[in-house]
Amino acid sequence: MQTATPAKTVDPSGGFSRSSLGSLLIWGLVLGVLAWSWQGAEIRPMALIGDSANMAEFAAGFFPPNFADWRIHVSEMIVTVQIAIWGTVLAVVCAVPFGLLSSSNIAPAWIYQPVRRLMDAARAINEMVFAMLFIVAVGLGPFAGVLALWVHTTGILAKLFSEAVEAIDPQPVEGIRATGANVLEEIVYGVIPQVMPLWVSYTLYRFESNVRSASVVGMVGAGGIGVTLYDVIRSFDYAQTCAVMLIIIAFVTVIDLISARIRKTLM
Amino acid sequence: MHAIHVSGLTKTFGSRRALDDVSLTIAPGEMVALIGASGSGKSTLLRHLSGFVAGDCGEICICGEAVQNGGRIARNVRDLRSHIGFIFQQFNLVGRLTLLTNVLTGQLHRIPTHRSLLRIFTRKERDLGLQALAEVGMERYAFQRASTLSGGQQQRAAIARALVQGAKVVLADEPIASLDPESSRKVMEILARVNREHGCAVLVSLHQVDVALRYCPRVVAMRDGRVVYDGPAAGLSPEFLKDLYCCDPEAASAGAPPAGAPEPVALPLAA
Ligand SMILES: Nc1ncnc2c1ncn2[C@@H]1O[C@H](COP(=O)(O)OP(=O)(O)O)[C@@H](O)[C@H]1O
Ligand SMILES: [Mg+2]
């Protein structure tokens, strides 16, 4: 330590000035990208200020929230949670094999490379897009939402699962191998116990996100509270919109809290 | 039939020759120490015996069956491994599984895969595991996670796993290198008992020569990947040992049998 520190600061090759030049370059690049995106995104702060009267009126329309149809909304919200449950469960079932097959310490390159690309594709396309496609295939309704979440979440969980698998300690696996166990037994006894806490934690985390996603896939017709939300927004019924949003917030918050509690006990 | 038979085994890692024409024969029921400075090739040899690594050339047979030959690992290596109990320096138990489950993995090779993958063990299989744990004095901890136990306790459970396996050959790679003296003594006594009572051939690599001399009637010494001594423990001279460890300051003090030790070359367990 004592000898290493001065060796670094008194670097004769001018490492300090080179690194400061580099950071200047990076900052320039970051600012450039921000300016460039400002134009593309057509950001107009003046619009917010100029239309402030409109905005205030618009916001006032939300209050007081209209809970007249709360029974229907809550039952739709429950459907949303059910969509999220099945979307997540089916995704976990697929993400376990796909995750293992995309781990470089389990599968050879000719397997894990194509599987990873497949998972990249599943992850790259947003669940809304999948929902619209599945509506064409299976019709309007929650099932299309389940299928959409399933595909997208499989892509995400497979990647997270395989990252956990690639970080395991190989020694216990070799211990299992030494007993004459076969490859699947090595995985079940040597790998899975090591990654289980992380896998469960990732799954719960994705379930939380899927409850939020399930409430928007409804907006393209794939069932649940999103359908209701879309209807009330389209009919300019902001008091009801507010009620629906509050119900979503309440459900999502409670689920987040429960799942965070479970994840904490696991870690 | 030999328990272990190695002939002409050579292995190079890049330009470094880790094993150089190693030949070795160990009879059933023998207890043999493998000594040598670090980097002399002890671990590499043991890992070849279990078929974890393929050599460049040479042949290895365990209990008369080829594990590898001419650089090719046998197809049935997993079956052959079930006859070999392997004890690792770092125990290699699965920390989050109970000690009993860890020990039960020793019989996976006998259990149909559809049952083993669901982790379903019969009463008889569990009893065998508990019995093995009792034999190493660890039955009290059967239902505790392996990670909650000390190194010595984990190593004893690792030996129980080899017992459940029904291993005929036990390979131990520096099994006591990370243990305190008292745990080391227990582990060595258990290994000696496994050799004596189960008739297992035991090949144990050791860094401490005094331990090797105390427990093993026969010693194989390696240096730079070659076998430089193979014979009775009593035949090792202090000069030879000093020379064997000359480039290994870590073990220099252990190079010669400790002066004034109560039983320098005695074999207390060879009843
Ligand atoms: N996987 C490997 N890759 C490259 N070199 C290795 C590998 N395994 C062992 N070696 C080398 O082989 C030699 C013998 O190592 P090892 O068998 O671990 O010695 P020992 O167990 O006697 O201390 C060492 O020089 C080591 O660096
Ligand atoms: Mg070693």
Side-chain angles (χ1 to χ4, degrees), chain B residues 13-14 16-18 36-45 173-174 205 207:
Chain B
F13 290 108
R16 189 177 168 95
R17 185 157 283 208
S38 359
S40 58
K42 305 182 294 294
S43 303
T44 306
L45 174 59
D173 189 9
E174 309 222 16
S205 81
H207 210 78

Side-chain angles (χ1 to χ4, degrees), chain A:
Chain A
M1 276 301 199
Q2 277 169 329
T3 50
T5 314
K8 233 176 200 172
T9 48
V10 195
D11 184 7
S13 66
F16 177 75
S17 68
R18 191 180 301 164
S19 83
S20 80
L21 198 76
S23 77
L24 211 70
L25 211 76
I26 288 169
W27 277 112
L29 212 69
V30 168
L31 289 175
V33 169
L34 285 176
W36 172 69
S37 314
W38 178 280
Q39 287 198 323
E42 295 182 19
I43 294 178
R44 290 168 290 123
M46 288 334 238
L48 281 176
I49 298 162
D51 299 338
S52 60
N54 283 345
M55 295 285 286
E57 198 181 319
F58 173 68
F62 281 76
F63 296 97
N66 175 3
F67 280 102
D69 290 335
W70 70 270
R71 278 171 208 282
I72 300 170
H73 297 158
V74 167
S75 82
E76 284 302 310
M77 190 63 217
I78 289 170
V79 171
T80 301
V81 175
Q82 289 166 329
I83 293 172
I85 289 174
W86 271 102
T88 311
V89 166
L90 291 173
V92 169
V93 169
C94 295
V96 169
F98 280 128
L100 288 166
L101 290 176
S102 49
S103 304
S104 58
N105 53 347
I106 301 278
W110 62 270
I111 290 181
Y112 76 72
Q113 285 296 355
V115 174
R116 277 185 194 177
R117 296 296 82 78
L118 186 69
M119 294 300 105
D120 287 349
R123 215 168 41 245
I125 311 291
N126 190 279
E127 48 269 79
M128 291 286 269
V129 179
F130 281 126
M132 288 194 271
L133 294 175
F134 281 122
I135 284 168
V136 178
V138 301
L140 289 170
F143 188 49
V146 170
L147 296 178
L149 290 185
W150 176 12
V151 176
H152 185 71
T153 309
T154 298
I156 291 175
L157 285 182
K159 181 175 170 74
L160 293 174
F161 283 7
S162 88
E163 277 174 6
V165 169
E166 288 180 344
I168 60 164
D169 177 0
Q171 292 188 336
V173 185
E174 193 162 67
I176 302 289
R177 180 176 306 155
T179 67
N182 63 38
V183 178
L184 288 176
E185 290 163 341
E186 279 179 29
I187 291 173
V188 166
Y189 290 87
V191 177
I192 305 271
Q194 292 195 57
V195 295
M196 207 50 177
L198 268 180
W199 279 14
V200 172
S201 167
Y202 288 147
T203 300
L204 286 168
Y205 179 70
R206 274 322 296 181
F207 173 63
E208 294 168 33
S209 322
N210 277 348
V211 174
R212 291 187 287 270
S213 301
S215 58
V216 294
V217 292
M219 300 193 91
V220 296
I225 193 82
V227 178
T228 318
L229 190 61
Y230 190 60
D231 288 346
V232 293
I233 293 175
R234 284 282 295 255
S235 55
F236 305 107
D237 188 346
Y238 296 126
Q240 282 229 42
T241 305
C242 182
V244 171
M245 283 165 64
L246 288 174
I247 288 170
I248 295 176
I249 290 171
F251 265 75
V252 168
T253 307
V254 169
I255 286 170
D256 280 8
L257 287 175
I258 295 172
S259 139
R261 172 69 60 83
I262 299 174
R263 281 193 282 131
K264 198 173 256 172
T265 61
L266 280 169
M267 295 313 274

